[in-house]
Amino acid sequence: MELFARSWEALRAAVAGLPDEDFARPSGCAGWLVRDLVCHLVIDAQDVLITLATPTAAAPTRDAVTYWTIDDPAAPDEPPGQDPLSALTVRLAAAYQDMGLLRFHLDDVGSAAGRAARLADPGLRVATQGEVLTAGDYLSAYVYEWTLHHLDLRAHLPGVPGPPAEGLAHARALLEGVAGAPFPAALSDEDALLLGTGRRSPTEEQRAVLGPVADRLPFVA
């Protein structure tokens, strides 16, 4: 729960420090500008609030690793970032003429999501997307989400501070759970995440280090 809060606070602080012109730059999410990514984070924060306020007595059907099998991948012939939800996010983001308002909405809804996470019982069962997880597993899965999107935020903005080291390590471990195999220790946590999720193509040297795992990339879109 604490790692969720630290990762989320670091990501929100990075967004808060961006000058207006950086919101029009590309992000590490294919087809999205930084403003699109930040708008997505507002929607994510809403999802956290909704999920934590949706308790259930049903048995868990997912955990922090298998949570990432819920979403269906985009159709193979669909342009990056143009599935219906992504396209909606881009249109919503474009409606923000004032980046200060987008920053405010992320801070407002994001702060509430952070407080709700700190107050949640890790053992509480919650429902989301037709599945059931414990709140602890759900928030653990979101450390992965925050960490990847923090890397997306700074993909073309190298001056932006990166995610916490413990968040990177946690996200890597979760990705290795998805992959069903560890990534070579020679790869940094950041490289493992970027290569493992297809955000970066491996060099020939990295493919050699990855071995058979290289042929299975990416694991999570």
Side-chain angles (χ1 to χ4, degrees), residues 76-112:
D77 58 348
E78 202 162 37
Q82 292 304 307
D83 64 275
L85 182 56
S86 292
L88 174 61
T89 301
V90 170
R91 291 197 296 272
L92 287 172
Y96 283 93
Q97 298 299 309
D98 179 358
M99 294 302 100
L101 183 58
L102 182 53
R103 286 193 202 88
F104 169 77
H105 280 166
L106 178 62
D107 181 65
D108 192 35
V109 182
S111 295

Side-chain angles (χ1 to χ4, degrees), residues 159-216:
V160 173
E166 59 269 34
L168 286 165
H170 178 93
R172 177 187 184 142
L174 196 150
L175 178 60
E176 290 176 339
V178 172
F183 283 80
L187 290 178
S188 69
D189 293 338
E190 181 170 340
D191 283 342
L193 290 167
L194 294 175
L195 296 172
T197 60
R199 283 165 164 80
R200 180 188 297 165
S201 298
T203 64
E204 287 304 315
E205 182 180 354
Q206 287 171 330
R207 289 189 69 87
V209 170
L210 285 163
V213 174
D215 296 327
R216 298 170 57 206

Side-chain angles (χ1 to χ4, degrees), residues 11 23 28 38 48 53 56-58 100 116 148 150 165 171 187 195:
L11 177 50
F23 283 80
V38 174
V48 170
T56 178
L148 283 178
H150 200 143
L187 290 178
L195 296 172

